[in-house]
């Protein structure tokens, strides 16, 4: 049996008539920019998250960038983030004009090491961006304690974790702002690019909204130098419909992760992902660690099982960051993780039979290894 890495068609098929109906209505009204569906979606998402303000933007990268700009972070400032994340996390920091300070991941989890954050703080540090990578909450209690002590702002990168909970609280509602991505394969995906910023700070939300719309609140008066980063009405209409299904999709992801855990648990060579105590993950990705992951991936591929790498290179080793001069060995945990991680098929409608096929494939590979 072939197992895809992600299957969006399967997920969206039952919703298409409703989504197309909404899109038709928007097209008939030609309400493409700032149509009523945008505000409706923002309000619905705010209620779902339990925050007063949500501002839709054009993608998750801009959610981060506009938040940093709205906080007044820029040239001369430093922002700390983790080396094992998607490139846009740090790219957004650079776009704001601030300097990126990469730190290592923690011993037990894939997310930022709170102790490394503490050691990286300087007089120029303004903010820290924890990333709830793979849908697993970062260690927010320790990060919050350090942030409070050093007067740092916490901007959460929630691109991969919409709906995950840290000790009862939805991630994205703990820091000063939560930055979401609606890239199609994310837990809540748009039919194209999309993103949002959530915050309890009214003025911050107002500034993000202004910056995303050429720095204005009224048509011809530009109060700030912003950009064009609005969420389209067509996507907002679609996202509103899909948001009603997010809890159910996240639950399906949790069931899939539990089955992986059960089936892969007995394989000593494989390290399955850990979740901090008291937290609930939403498994944007299900990522195992294994020393010979390239061989394993090739074996699975040959059997029709697709896997992914998130990520093969820590950001401090990306060519774009060569000028930071961070050599191999400078962030050893992130570097080792990048050599060992393998993302297994994970999406809401994945079947138990597909997960069993993946686990069986892994078992076969390991038994061949035993004989080698
Ligand atoms: C952790 C993380 N941060 C930020 C982003 C950027 O989101 P987008 O692709 O919507 O710009 C992504 C998605 O690629 C991501 O996975």
């Amino acid at each position: 049996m072939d197992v895809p890495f992600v299957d969006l068609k399967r997920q969206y098929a039952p919703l298409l008539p409703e989504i197309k109906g909404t899109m038709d209505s928007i097209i008939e009204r030609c309400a493409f920019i700032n149509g009523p569906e945008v505000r409706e979606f923002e309000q619905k998402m705010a209620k779902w998250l339990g925050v007063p303000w949500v501002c839709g933007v054009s993608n998750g990268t801009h959610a981060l960038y506009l938040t940093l700009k709205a906080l007044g972070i820029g040239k001369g400032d430093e922002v700390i983030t983790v080396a094992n994340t998607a490139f846009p996390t740090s790219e957004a920091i650079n776009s704001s004009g601030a300097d990126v300070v990469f730190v290592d991941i923690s011993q037990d989890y894939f997310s930022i090491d709170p102790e490394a954050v503490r050691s990286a703080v300087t007089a120029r540090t303004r903010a820290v961006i924890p990333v709830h990578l793979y849908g697993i909450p970062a260690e927010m209690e320790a990060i919050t304690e350090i942030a409070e002590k050093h007067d740092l702002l916490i901007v959460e990168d929630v691109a991969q974790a919409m709906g995950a909970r840290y000790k009862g609280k939805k991630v994205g509602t703990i820091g000063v702002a939560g930055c979401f991505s609606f890239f199609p394969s994310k837990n809540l995906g748009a039919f194209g690019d999309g993103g949002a910023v959530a915050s309890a700070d009214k003025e911050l939300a107002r500034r993000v909204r202004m910056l995303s719309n050429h720095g204005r609140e009224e048509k011809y008066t530009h109060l700030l130098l912003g950009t064009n980063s609005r969420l389209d009405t067509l996507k907002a209409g679609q996202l509103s419909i899909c948001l009603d299904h997010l809890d159910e999709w996240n639950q399906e992801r949790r069931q899939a992760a539990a089955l992986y855990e059960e089936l892969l648990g007995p394989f000593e060579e494989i390290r399955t992902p850990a979740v901090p105590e008291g937290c609930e993950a939403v498994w944007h990705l299900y990522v195992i660690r294994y020393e010979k992951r390239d061989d394993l991936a090739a074996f699975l591929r040959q059997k029709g099982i697709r896997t992914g790498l998130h990520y093969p290179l820590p950001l401090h080793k990306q060519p774009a960051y060569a000028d930071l001069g961070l050599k191999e060995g400078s962030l050893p945990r992130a570097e080792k993780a990048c050599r060992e991680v393998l993302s297994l098929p994970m999406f809401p409608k994945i079947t138990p039979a597909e997960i069993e096929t993946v686990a069986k494939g892994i078992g076969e590979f390991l038994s061949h290894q035993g004989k080698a």
Side-chain angles (χ1 to χ4, degrees):
M1 181 201 284
D2 283 1
V3 185
F5 184 61
V6 171
D7 188 348
L8 295 179
K9 258 192 174 173
R10 225 187 277 182
Q11 184 178 346
Y12 288 128
L15 305 182
L16 281 186
E18 191 184 353
I19 293 171
K20 284 180 178 170
T22 295
M23 288 190 157
D24 276 350
S25 144
I26 295 165
I27 292 166
E28 247 157 53
R29 285 177 277 131
C30 294
F32 301 116
I33 305 292
N34 278 334
E37 282 80 359
V38 177
R39 290 293 171 276
E40 277 162 31
F41 169 67
E42 289 172 344
Q43 282 165 12
K44 194 167 175 178
M45 179 172 158
K47 195 164 169 227
W48 184 88
L49 265 179
V51 288
W53 310 104
V54 165
C55 176
V57 295
S58 57
N59 55 65
T61 312
H62 275 194
L64 289 162
Y65 159 68
L66 295 171
T67 299
L68 295 173
K69 288 281 284 182
L71 289 168
I73 292 171
K75 207 168 175 346
D77 297 328
E78 284 176 356
V79 177
I80 299 171
T81 197
V82 66
N84 184 4
T85 177
F87 192 72
T89 310
S90 58
E91 193 180 35
I93 298 171
N94 293 115
S95 299
S96 78
D99 293 326
V100 179
V101 177
F102 286 120
V103 297
D104 216 340
I105 59 172
S106 74
Q107 178 82 40
D108 302 319
Y109 310 107
F110 288 111
S111 53
I112 198 163
D113 177 12
E115 283 316 310
V117 174
R118 198 191 299 277
S119 313
V121 173
T122 71
R124 294 205 285 135
T125 313
R126 292 281 315 280
V128 54
I129 304 187
V131 183
H132 305 292
L133 202 70
Y134 312 148
I136 304 172
E139 295 167 84
M140 293 307 290
E141 229 163 53
I143 295 164
T144 304
E145 184 226 302
I146 294 159
E148 278 172 3
K149 183 155 179 229
H150 296 280
D151 205 13
L152 310 180
L153 296 158
I154 299 175
V155 175
E156 293 176 75
D157 183 336
V158 204
Q160 302 191 2
M162 189 162 175
R165 286 178 187 272
Y166 182 88
K167 304 200 173 165
K169 275 194 177 169
K170 278 195 174 139
V171 294
T173 68
I174 300 165
V176 66
C179 298
F180 293 80
S181 162
F182 305 131
F183 183 85
S185 60
K186 294 291 197 277
N187 292 46
L188 180 66
F191 287 9
D193 280 308
V197 177
S199 183
D201 182 332
K202 188 176 180 182
E203 181 53 22
L204 173 63
R206 178 176 161 255
R207 286 172 69 83
V208 168
R209 186 175 299 289
M210 277 200 282
L211 289 170
S212 72
N213 191 21
H214 305 294
R216 66 187 165 180
E217 283 180 311
E218 286 162 21
K219 192 162 183 183
Y220 295 114
T221 310
H222 302 268
L223 301 169
L224 303 169
L225 294 173
T227 185
N228 177 357
S229 185
R230 298 173 295 237
L231 179 66
D232 299 338
T233 316
L234 282 168
K235 290 174 201 159
Q238 173 250 315
L239 285 166
S240 265
I241 293 167
C242 291
L243 183 54
D244 289 336
H245 298 269
L246 182 57
D247 288 333
E248 158 203 325
W249 289 338
N250 281 343
Q251 180 57 20
E252 289 168 355
R253 287 178 186 270
R254 276 194 287 271
Q255 280 163 359
L259 185 54
Y260 270 131
E261 179 65 40
E262 184 191 323
L263 298 175
L264 301 179
F267 300 137
E268 270 173 23
E269 305 90 325
I270 302 284
R271 192 161 143 197
T272 55
V275 177
E277 215 180 301
C279 296
E280 200 172 79
V282 287
W283 307 107
H284 169 58
L285 295 164
Y286 189 84
V287 180
I288 58 167
R289 289 181 70 157
Y290 175 58
E291 274 179 14
K292 295 183 202 160
R293 68 100 195 274
D294 290 332
D295 295 343
L296 174 58
F299 180 85
L300 293 175
R301 192 185 174 91
Q302 193 204 319
K303 292 186 150 302
I305 299 167
R306 297 304 177 112
T307 58
L309 295 180
H310 302 86
Y311 296 89
L313 204 60
L315 295 188
H316 65 288
K317 288 175 65 188
Q318 286 288 351
Y321 285 116
D323 61 345
L324 292 182
L326 288 168
K327 299 222 161 55
E328 176 77 30
S330 51
L331 301 174
R333 288 184 198 144
E335 290 164 16
K336 190 162 191 294
C338 288
R339 287 193 296 270
E340 295 180 355
V341 288
L342 186 66
S343 310
L344 302 183
M346 169 58 84
F347 52 95
K349 301 292 172 199
I350 192 168
T351 64
E354 285 173 318
I355 294 169
E356 280 157 17
T357 302
V358 178
K360 203 165 147 242
I362 294 174
E364 258 177 59
F365 175 84
L366 292 175
S367 62
H368 290 165
Q369 292 294 300
K371 282 179 203 135

